[in-house]
Amino acid sequence: MRITDAQQGLVHVRDFTRRTLAAWESGACGDEAVLVVNELATNALLHAASKVPVERREVWLKLSLRRAHLVCAVIDPYDRPPVHLPADVAQDDHGRGLGIVDALSEHWGWTRFPAGKIVWAMLRTPCPPDGTEAWGPT
């Protein structure tokens, strides 16, 4: 789904995450997952999608359950690495998103691919069997 309004897109991302986790009966990590997904999607919409031509500004969210982890992945069209500012450099209103992701997730990272990158975070949670995944709007 192409987003032109970042604020409305983030509302949909948070709602999708809550509904998906409820459907999977994985509410145990719900609040943390919503916050992590919101931060990853915000970064993608504000810092990545804005750096590419309008026709390439698609951002995607994928949630996957693995044995003991919820994997939250945001795919964006900008191939540059995400910027994780140290806590003492982050501003009051910007620059703390990846610090939040780092604090709430067991692991996080990013992978470049020809059309952009995937930024992902793994949250520890009791989960159903492997292979459950959902794609949602961002």
Side-chain angles (χ1 to χ4, degrees), residues 55-134:
E55 63 274 6
R56 290 191 50 228
R57 289 189 183 172
E58 288 189 356
V59 173
W60 294 89
L61 165 65
K62 180 180 180 184
L63 301 176
S64 304
L65 286 175
R66 302 293 180 237
R67 288 205 169 112
H69 293 94
L70 170 68
V71 181
C72 307
V74 173
I75 298 100
D76 71 60
Y78 191 57
D79 67 353
R80 299 289 163 85
V83 178
H84 182 208
L85 297 175
D88 61 337
V89 175
Q91 305 285 316
D92 286 340
D93 55 349
H94 293 290
R96 294 174 295 155
L98 288 176
I100 292 168
V101 171
D102 187 46
L104 293 176
S105 62
E106 189 166 287
H107 305 288
W108 77 273
W110 71 283
T111 305
R112 182 179 292 150
F113 65 96
K117 70 176 171 297
I118 301 169
V119 183
W120 52 267
M122 296 175 66
L123 285 73
R124 191 166 239 342
T125 183
C127 294
D130 278 351
T132 305
E133 60 185 34

Side-chain angles (χ1 to χ4, degrees), residues 3-85:
I3 299 296
T4 57
D5 178 347
Q7 185 174 2
Q8 190 62 31
L10 293 171
V11 169
H12 292 304
V13 163
R14 292 187 297 266
D15 182 57
F16 172 80
T17 302
R18 285 186 194 99
R19 285 185 293 109
T20 300
L21 293 178
W24 289 346
E25 299 177 359
S26 286
C29 66
D31 291 338
E32 291 86 1
V34 169
L35 186 52
V36 165
V37 164
N38 188 73
E39 293 301 330
L40 294 177
T42 297
N43 283 349
L45 290 166
L46 295 180
H47 304 296
S50 65
K51 300 216 178 12
V52 299
V54 173
E55 63 274 6
R56 290 191 50 228
R57 289 189 183 172
E58 288 189 356
V59 173
W60 294 89
L61 165 65
K62 180 180 180 184
L63 301 176
S64 304
L65 286 175
R66 302 293 180 237
R67 288 205 169 112
H69 293 94
L70 170 68
V71 181
C72 307
V74 173
I75 298 100
D76 71 60
Y78 191 57
D79 67 353
R80 299 289 163 85
V83 178
H84 182 208
L85 297 175

